[in-house]
Amino acid sequence: DRGTGVHEACELVIKGITDFWVEEDIQGYVKSFEHWWMESPEVVVVEQRFWDDTLQITGQVDLIIETPDGHAIVDLKTSYKQSKTWHAQGSAYAMLAKAAGYNVKHIYFVHLKKDGKPPRIYEYPVDDLFLSVLRTYNHFYR
């Protein structure tokens, strides 16, 4: 619920809507997002689902932004700490977005802070990690 509420509030910020109510327990995360948002990234996509029928996978990307050398996948996180799965998740999103025609050059995970402080930005390489994980999973469980 927390992540959904934060994503919905951040989408309002992206759309330039400033007069909205936010539940007290997520206000800090939204403030943290606003610190990052002040950098004024050029947004290409907000909350878009991609899929691959061959691999039978789908994923919903929080944002795709424009950078000087191409597109960047942006995923917003509200968890307590960084997860080892983020790189694989970003790799999957990049693969799906590339297949849809986006020129993905970066993967950023914006780790929002509960206390409203500026978020920590994690950048992961655009690589084939997800496909390696999927092949390994299929080897052992299919």
Side-chain angles (χ1 to χ4, degrees):
D1 291 340
R2 175 182 68 212
T4 300
V6 170
H7 279 80
E8 289 171 353
C10 291
E11 190 171 341
L12 293 173
V13 172
I14 291 166
K15 291 178 178 178
I17 300 169
T18 57
D19 187 24
F20 60 91
W21 180 82
V22 177
E23 290 184 35
E24 187 174 333
D25 63 327
I26 66 170
Q27 287 176 358
Y29 296 108
V30 176
K31 179 83 170 159
S32 183
F33 174 78
E34 289 171 339
H35 284 288
W36 177 77
W37 183 247
M38 287 190 310
E39 296 177 19
S40 301
E42 182 182 334
V43 176
V44 178
V45 166
V46 178
E47 294 291 341
Q48 183 167 332
R49 180 158 297 282
F50 296 99
W51 58 91
D52 182 309
D53 292 334
T54 303
L55 295 175
Q56 297 182 354
I57 61 167
T58 185
Q60 184 156 321
V61 173
D62 293 341
L63 296 168
I64 297 178
I65 60 172
E66 192 69 48
T67 70
D69 60 336
H71 296 119
I73 299 291
V74 177
D75 197 79
L76 306 176
K77 292 296 186 192
T78 60
S79 58
Y80 176 70
K81 63 181 184 173
Q82 178 188 19
S83 172
K84 291 181 180 183
T85 64
W86 289 0
H87 182 183
Q89 180 185 1
S91 174
Y93 288 167
M95 180 192 72
L96 292 166
K98 280 181 157 186
Y102 292 94
N103 180 25
V104 179
K105 298 293 183 180
H106 304 277
I107 300 168
Y108 301 124
F109 275 55
V110 179
H111 190 202
L112 304 174
K113 303 297 179 186
K114 182 178 184 174
D115 62 8
K117 291 182 180 175
R120 179 158 183 201
I121 311 302
Y122 294 90
E123 182 171 5
Y124 298 100
V126 177
D127 59 18
D128 292 333
L129 177 63
F130 173 75
L131 289 177
S132 297
V133 170
L134 182 62
R135 280 193 293 271
T136 302
Y137 174 84
N138 287 338
H139 174 79
F140 286 104
Y141 297 105
R142 290 202 176 176

